Amino acid sequence: MPRRAPWRRLLWLGLGGLLIFGSGLWSVPPATATAGGVSLPGHVLPILGSATRVGDLAPDQTLTLTIALRPGAAEALRRSARQPHSSPVVRPGAVGAEALGRAYGQSAVAIARLADYLRGFGLVVSSPGPSRLSLTARGTADQIQRALGVHLGWYTDQQGRRFRATDTDPRLPADLAPLVEAIIGLDTYPVWYPLHTPPRPAPPPVRRPGALQPQASRTVFPPYKPDDLETAYNFSPLNAAGLDGRGVTIGILGCDVVSPSDLTTFAATFQRPAPAVQTVPVDGGADGGSAEKPPNPEATLDLEWAGAIAPGATLRLYSFPSEGEGCSTIGFYDALIAAIDENASDILSISLGACETALGSALIQAFEDVFAAAALEGQTVLVASGDLGAYSCYPSLTPAVDYPAASAYVTAVGGTTLVVGPDGSYQSESAWGSVTACLTPCGSGGGISAMIPPPSWQEALLTGGRGVPDVAYDADPTTGFYYFFNGSWMSAGGTSFGAPQWAALIARADQAADRRLGFLDPLLYGAVARAGGPTPPFHDITTGSNLLYAAAPGWDLATGWGSPDAAVLVQALAAAGMPPTPSASPVPTATAPAGSGPVRVFLPVIFNGRPGPGG
């Protein structure tokens, strides 16, 4: 029998190998498959140098990873997201997740190559969502270590917390590494924490028939109620104009569950309608009322206050699991991806944060890409700036900021000490900072980012890094806020209360504009900051400090532009965010009820020839 020509024999073997691979029967690649690959830096936790390795993972332990994909047109995505109001082509809300994926994501062919590589090691890989920003891969510790060239182990930190981590950066073949921004889930270190101060029990709000009983003083315990904030920050003209957030959806990102009865009790006590809450479980995050996990106080207070200040809005909870004492990193990222892919929330409120320098650079860049995508979709993102003043990495006394408040694509909400009169009217406000009011030094998170460069709208204000915060809201626990949790009335402070209330304010502004306003910072630092008239859109806070940075006229690193004059700000935002060729004309002024504090002018605007809600 004649022998086959050598080239025909090689071709036959190659085709056979391809057929076996395609059938899923190809054997697991050797452990040296990634030895010559490209390292993906930024995955080794900064905390690992002071932690103790206590053991290896069991080879058969099953892990789930999220592969954060680098956008195929990453720079174009980031550039477009930073300028969402500059062109009618990228008006906020005009870009959906599928269009986003096609325009900026990796190609389907490139994603398939990466997925096939991982499947070759036995991992189960999901299909990407419409935004093409991530894949999910599931497999054993042994499969993951061989596929990525990592060395996983169990560690304990100096506080005795046990966590999983890798002591080596992952590696991928040279043609696949450029597709990946980060691999999330290699570690379980608890870095994300809720941004409210330790709660204390509070007496039930005092009521008289038909109304809440006014307090003689608002500078001490008991805490503030929704009516107090609405009066002090001038929401009353918005109420009179029918601007309550109707038709707008606020997404709350929080771990674990809430008790529906807590939400309805809070709303009923303060004469608000029961909030319409939709729950989106992410990565095993449970739906409301699960017996497996107790209610989460952060998610509870976020929903209660967002619903109280925008009672007409729909609330959407992206519920993901907790991780030790904090919230899951992979859950947080996947919840953001869910919010981008479904594009159902007009506004996202985040009251979680982490010491910026405790996060790897790869993880931060992966989050930055998702926040850029949110901006391009027209989703406004409000983030609490933190409660440790200028020292977000406390007990380190090196000045630092929280992430994601430091993201270049979000609006960071700092904290103040608000003083109101007996009738709830605005009296004064200072930057929040104290060494006695909390268990640790506390105050408005603020300072200069070590990881994120200053965006263009801040370049004239500072150098070195992105400045935090952008705006402010009452946060001082000395007064505190009511919230109802696990069947009891509680009081707490913190920037956690400001982020959802700012989200509620923007819901009213979206309603007034009859469209998504989208990423706020280009507006806040541009047309809104320059808005003229007898009443400015912000209370410019010029006293107090966040334990390092002093409040000062104009924008500062303790309170940003200041706290809102809600009615004036809504009008300024609606006017600043109008399409390029608008027609605008005033309609009759709505005024606040007598005795509710100073009345400020609110003129709803005509959008494209038709009145906005309330006009």
Side-chain angles (χ1 to χ4, degrees), residues 355-357 385 389-393 398-403 405-407 412 444-455 458 461-470 546 548-549 555-558:
C355 163
E356 180 188 53
T357 54
S385 73
Y391 306 102
S392 286
C393 301
T398 300
V401 296
D402 265 10
Y403 189 87
S407 170
S444 173
I448 300 174
S449 171
M451 309 289 285
I452 309 295
Q458 286 191 336
L461 299 171
L462 78 167
T463 59
R466 196 271 207 241
V468 177
D470 301 302
N546 71 344
L548 178 62
Y549 301 106
W555 180 85
D556 59 66
L557 291 167

Side-chain angles (χ1 to χ4, degrees), residues 371-606:
F371 286 126
L376 203 56
E377 286 187 342
Q379 293 178 316
T380 303
V381 184
L382 283 308
V383 180
S385 73
D387 298 341
L388 292 171
Y391 306 102
S392 286
C393 301
Y394 185 83
S396 168
L397 294 182
T398 300
V401 296
D402 265 10
Y403 189 87
S407 170
Y409 307 100
V410 309
T411 298
V413 181
T416 69
T417 301
L418 172 67
V419 178
V420 303
D423 61 352
S425 60
Y426 185 95
Q427 298 294 304
S428 66
E429 206 165 4
S430 59
W432 170 42
S434 175
V435 294
T436 59
C438 308
L439 299 178
T440 63
C442 58
S444 173
I448 300 174
S449 171
M451 309 289 285
I452 309 295
S456 59
W457 46 87
Q458 286 191 336
E459 287 176 350
L461 299 171
L462 78 167
T463 59
R466 196 271 207 241
V468 177
D470 301 302
V471 294
Y473 209 85
D474 181 49
D476 191 337
T478 302
T479 54
F481 295 83
Y482 269 115
Y483 70 103
F484 193 75
F485 174 66
N486 215 12
S488 299
W489 285 104
M490 308 296 290
S491 169
T495 54
S496 276
F497 288 91
Q501 291 184 70
W502 259 92
L505 170 57
I506 301 308
R508 295 182 186 229
D510 278 7
Q511 183 189 4
D514 200 24
R515 58 188 289 276
R516 289 181 177 180
L517 289 172
F519 181 29
L520 293 182
D521 279 13
L523 298 178
L524 297 177
Y525 287 79
V528 173
R530 295 190 299 268
T535 306
F538 299 107
H539 301 110
D540 188 6
I541 299 161
T542 59
T543 60
S545 79
N546 71 344
L547 304 180
L548 178 62
Y549 301 106
W555 180 85
D556 59 66
L557 291 167
T559 63
W561 288 110
S563 64
D565 182 311
V568 179
L569 180 62
V570 163
Q571 183 180 5
L573 283 171
M578 288 169 65
T581 55
S583 60
S585 61
V587 297
T589 301
T591 58
S596 62
V599 175
R600 315 253 166 66
V601 175
F602 172 68
L603 302 177
V605 220
I606 302 295

Side-chain angles (χ1 to χ4, degrees), residues 118-528:
L118 297 172
R119 290 185 183 115
F121 287 85
L123 302 180
V124 177
V125 184
S126 70
S127 298
S131 65
R132 303 185 188 178
L133 289 172
S134 70
L135 294 170
T136 297
R138 183 176 176 85
T140 66
D142 179 64
Q143 292 168 333
I144 287 170
Q145 289 182 123
R146 289 189 294 122
L148 301 176
V150 293
H151 184 209
L152 297 170
W154 291 108
Y155 292 81
T156 58
D157 67 6
Q158 293 178 336
Q159 288 74 45
R161 293 173 294 193
R162 189 169 186 265
F163 61 96
R164 179 178 77 232
T166 174
D167 60 7
T168 55
D169 284 321
R171 303 181 73 86
L172 285 172
D175 63 325
L176 298 179
L179 308 181
V180 176
E181 202 74 83
I183 299 175
I184 305 172
L186 293 172
D187 72 81
T188 58
Y189 192 67
V191 293
W192 305 104
Y193 290 95
L195 299 179
H196 65 268
T197 62
R200 58 188 179 187
V206 178
R207 297 185 60 183
R208 65 183 179 209
L212 291 169
Q213 181 70 38
Q215 304 293 332
S217 170
R218 303 305 171 94
T219 60
V220 294
F221 191 86
Y224 287 145
K225 304 179 288 293
D227 285 347
D228 299 328
L229 279 301
E230 283 194 335
T231 301
Y233 287 142
N234 197 34
F235 282 84
S236 299
L238 303 180
N239 295 337
L243 296 174
D244 62 358
R246 191 173 295 112
V248 180
T249 298
I250 301 172
I252 304 290
L253 281 85
C255 55
D256 298 334
V257 303
V258 298
S259 166
S261 64
D262 284 347
L263 306 185
T264 55
T265 298
F266 184 88
T269 300
F270 298 118
Q271 300 175 328
R272 285 352 191 230
V277 180
Q278 304 163 349
T279 303
V280 182
V282 176
D283 293 353
D287 209 336
S290 169
E292 297 178 3
K293 286 183 176 290
N296 182 279
E298 182 58 67
T300 298
L301 71 87
D302 288 355
L303 289 166
E304 287 177 349
W305 277 91
I309 302 301
T314 297
L315 305 180
R316 196 165 178 83
L317 173 64
Y318 297 89
S319 170
F320 55 96
S322 56
E323 189 79 73
E325 299 173 11
C327 292
S328 160
T329 295
I330 191 172
F332 187 9
Y333 181 85
D334 288 348
L336 281 169
I337 291 290
I340 300 305
D341 281 344
E342 68 172 22
N343 198 16
S345 295
D346 305 295
I347 301 157
L348 299 176
S349 176
I350 299 172
S351 292
L352 299 172
C355 163
E356 180 188 53
T357 54
L359 305 173
S361 57
L363 182 64
I364 285 183
Q365 188 56 66
F367 271 87
E368 284 295 274
D369 290 340
V370 180
F371 286 126
L376 203 56
E377 286 187 342
Q379 293 178 316
T380 303
V381 184
L382 283 308
V383 180
S385 73
D387 298 341
L388 292 171
Y391 306 102
S392 286
C393 301
Y394 185 83
S396 168
L397 294 182
T398 300
V401 296
D402 265 10
Y403 189 87
S407 170
Y409 307 100
V410 309
T411 298
V413 181
T416 69
T417 301
L418 172 67
V419 178
V420 303
D423 61 352
S425 60
Y426 185 95
Q427 298 294 304
S428 66
E429 206 165 4
S430 59
W432 170 42
S434 175
V435 294
T436 59
C438 308
L439 299 178
T440 63
C442 58
S444 173
I448 300 174
S449 171
M451 309 289 285
I452 309 295
S456 59
W457 46 87
Q458 286 191 336
E459 287 176 350
L461 299 171
L462 78 167
T463 59
R466 196 271 207 241
V468 177
D470 301 302
V471 294
Y473 209 85
D474 181 49
D476 191 337
T478 302
T479 54
F481 295 83
Y482 269 115
Y483 70 103
F484 193 75
F485 174 66
N486 215 12
S488 299
W489 285 104
M490 308 296 290
S491 169
T495 54
S496 276
F497 288 91
Q501 291 184 70
W502 259 92
L505 170 57
I506 301 308
R508 295 182 186 229
D510 278 7
Q511 183 189 4
D514 200 24
R515 58 188 289 276
R516 289 181 177 180
L517 289 172
F519 181 29
L520 293 182
D521 279 13
L523 298 178
L524 297 177
Y525 287 79
V528 173

